[in-house]
Amino acid sequence: MDVSSHDVVVLGGGPAGSVTASLLARAGADVALLERAHFPRYHLGESLAPRSLAVLDELGLRDRLDARYLRKYGVRIMDCRTGRQQRYDYSEAGHGEALHAWQVPRADFDQQLLLRARELTVKVFEGHTAEDVLFEAGRATGVRARLEDGTRVGFTARFIVDATGHDALLATRLGHRAPVPGIERTAVMAHHQHVTRNTDDTEGDLDAVLFPHGWVWNVPFLGDVNSVGAVCSATWMRARARGESLDHFFTRTLDDAPLARAMLSPATRLTPVRAVTDYAHRAAVRAGPGWLLVGDAAGFFDPLFCAGTHLAIAGAAEAARTLLRCLAQPDDEASLLERHAALMERAMSLYQGLSQALHAGDLTEAFFEARTRSARQPLASVFAGDVFGEDPPWRAALRARFPTK
Ligand SMILES: Cc1cc2nc3c(=O)[nH]c(=O)nc-3n(C[C@H](O)[C@H](O)[C@H](O)COP(=O)(O)OP(=O)(O)OC[C@H]3O[C@@H](n4cnc5c(N)ncnc54)[C@H](O)[C@@H]3O)c2cc1C
């Protein structure tokens, strides 16, 4: 088996993997990235959070991405049961800055990030499936990968970063992967054309429509294509008739969300309807000797807060900073990894508590009771991605009201 050696080997070329690898390589590390697929490839997770953009800026991607994607200035929550609507503008996030994010077709977005990783000297290997992480005396030291023709190749490194997303290769192998109580959900989705749009700055908003079976997202892209999906309860999924096509079931689901159906009434479906089930999970341990989890490989809860891409992108920046220090000060590795894990835990637990509250129905009043900008500031800040660092009072209050379960 051919074996090559690097400072860091990153598994997975989604946002978490690309960004970690890019930042490490830009700082001079020798980085290899293994990606199972060949890009571009379809992926979920199309609505970004504004606070991720600072990291994309750091990678020199701002102008390139701004030209490709629709700007998103806020999130509109609607409730089919009461007809209430509430818009959270990112400018309400409390820092007085004009913030925006982007709505991104992920096949293209992920390809742009991987391209940037190559430009920054990351050695990218597509069509390489990591099969196992190899340990010596309790330390991760290498990876065995399978090529499409069945050939095996080996990689050794001072650090292995698992960014394999929902597959969570390392957490699964080490028995650390666990479901998240209260978020056993299935999402059903497709891209649509000719969805009714706003014609002002709110055109790029993420619409989230609460309805009896869960919630519906509407994510507009630049042009005339929207991603529409429904996050459905397990009870509702059991209402899918034997033999009923996913397409028919999706239409029937949207029929129960009149506010979403109204936007969709002139629309046509562009892609086959897909479903993804039981995606919420978390890894009980997220770092150890010679290894670190980034992005979905460490956990994911619910799409509403755009936490997935934010934890992947901003979490990757934190991971890269930590790994660079570990490479420079190997004796401090254990304490550096512990500090990183604690930082990520604080961000993830906030999203987890809010996601569990969303699905228990406990968040609905909080969404609509906020009548003033200052009352909207806490949730606007979470939508913006202000989840890292020491808790300001508003974040501590959200944690107390919506604890993890
Ligand atoms: C229904 C749904 C809707 C969502 N909507 C949103 C949203 O609107 N906004 C948001 O922020 N987030 C959303 N998310 C979450 C978002 O998709 C993820 O959080 C995000 O993609 C995580 O990025 P990542 O890089 O960690 O993982 P991924 O993007 O999944 O990348 C992982 C990569 O690893 C590769 N890989 C896997 N196994 C191996 C292996 N063994 N060897 C080599 N490569 C491997 C995969 O091919 C993939 O390219 C949604 C999730 C779901 C389930």
Side-chain angles (χ1 to χ4, degrees):
M1 185 166 80
D2 284 345
V3 178
S4 62
S5 293
H6 307 272
D7 291 325
V8 181
V9 173
V10 177
L11 313 180
S18 289
V19 172
T20 309
S22 292
L23 291 171
L24 290 170
R26 203 191 53 161
D30 171 6
V31 186
L33 182 152
L34 317 186
E35 166 55 52
R36 178 176 59 196
H38 289 274
F39 282 20
R41 52 97 180 90
Y42 170 82
H43 206 289
L44 280 165
E46 297 150 325
S47 199
L48 303 190
R51 293 285 175 210
S52 295
L53 268 58
V55 179
L56 302 172
D57 261 349
E58 217 179 314
L59 290 173
L61 282 166
R62 164 83 65 165
D63 292 344
R64 200 187 289 185
L65 300 181
D66 204 40
R68 302 179 86 85
Y69 307 127
L70 183 60
R71 285 188 180 196
K72 168 195 177 197
Y73 291 99
V75 176
R76 191 164 52 139
I77 311 283
M78 294 168 255
D79 184 1
C80 284
R81 279 163 290 211
T82 59
R84 289 180 294 181
Q85 297 198 12
Q86 178 76 278
R87 183 167 183 274
Y88 287 85
D89 194 287
Y90 291 137
S91 69
E92 296 168 347
H95 300 270
E97 316 149 65
L99 291 175
H100 71 85
W102 291 301
Q103 307 284 24
V104 301
R106 281 286 300 274
D108 187 70
F109 180 70
D110 289 15
Q111 191 173 28
Q112 295 303 319
L113 295 192
L114 199 61
L115 174 66
R116 186 67 185 136
R118 282 200 170 93
E119 289 169 357
L120 291 167
T121 74
V122 176
K123 300 174 182 82
V124 176
F125 298 90
E126 291 179 73
H128 279 52
T129 301
E131 284 188 321
D132 201 6
V133 175
L134 310 172
F135 285 79
E136 281 172 36
R139 184 176 181 86
T141 53
V143 177
R144 189 183 66 241
R146 192 185 65 250
L147 278 56
E148 280 148 333
D149 64 3
T151 313
R152 260 70 182 188
V153 289
F155 295 83
T156 61
R158 293 170 66 190
F159 264 98
I160 312 297
V161 173
D162 182 356
T164 55
H166 184 254
D167 285 47
L169 177 78
L170 204 41
T172 307
R173 180 195 188 282
L174 298 175
H176 293 156
R177 185 187 171 133
V180 184
I183 322 187
E184 299 80 8
R185 293 292 180 275
T186 296
V188 188
M189 77 284 307
H191 285 180
H192 291 70
Q193 205 169 18
H194 310 317
V195 176
T196 304
R197 289 192 178 210
N198 294 342
T199 50
D200 55 14
D201 267 0
T202 64
E203 179 189 359
D205 281 5
L206 165 67
D207 288 330
V209 180
L210 311 181
F211 79 130
H213 313 310
W215 70 276
V216 174
W217 77 72
N218 173 29
V219 171
F221 301 129
L222 200 60
D224 188 23
V225 175
N226 289 46
S227 169
V228 179
V231 172
C232 301
S233 68
T235 312
W236 175 244
M237 290 311 294
R238 283 194 287 276
R240 184 179 172 193
R242 190 183 290 270
E244 181 179 14
S245 73
L246 206 49
D247 193 85
H248 187 266
F249 179 71
F250 188 36
T251 303
R252 202 154 64 78
T253 302
L254 294 171
D255 281 347
D256 284 351
L259 293 173
R261 200 183 46 208
M263 287 185 273
L264 279 168
S265 54
T268 48
R269 225 160 256 169
L270 273 182
T271 59
V273 178
R274 302 170 193 254
V276 49
T277 203
D278 287 341
Y279 42 77
H281 74 103
R282 50 176 291 144
V285 182
R286 307 205 185 98
W291 61 273
L292 186 74
L293 313 182
V294 195
D296 272 16
F300 175 68
F301 310 113
D302 184 89
L304 180 60
F305 290 97
C306 303
T309 54
H310 189 50
L311 289 170
I313 295 169
E318 296 293 346
R321 270 191 281 278
T322 299
L323 290 178
L324 287 169
R325 282 192 207 122
C326 289
L327 290 171
Q329 307 152 232
D331 291 346
D332 299 335
E333 179 185 306
S335 61
L336 288 165
L337 291 180
E338 203 173 305
R339 207 174 314 149
H340 174 74
L343 176 92
M344 293 309 296
E345 174 57 28
R346 290 196 71 69
M348 291 180 76
S349 61
L350 183 70
Y351 285 133
Q352 181 183 331
L354 288 167
S355 301
Q356 287 172 315
L358 169 71
H359 289 291
D362 298 341
L363 205 51
T364 310
E365 280 314 306
F367 279 140
F368 297 106
E369 72 194 8
R371 291 261 155 253
T372 60
R373 281 177 74 87
S374 63
R376 285 192 291 275
Q377 183 265 328
L379 285 173
S381 300
V382 177
F383 281 123
D386 285 328
V387 295
F388 289 100
E390 287 303 309
D391 275 354
W394 63 263
R395 225 190 278 152
L398 279 182
R399 277 187 210 282
R401 187 170 173 191
F402 305 111
T404 56
K405 291 180 185 133

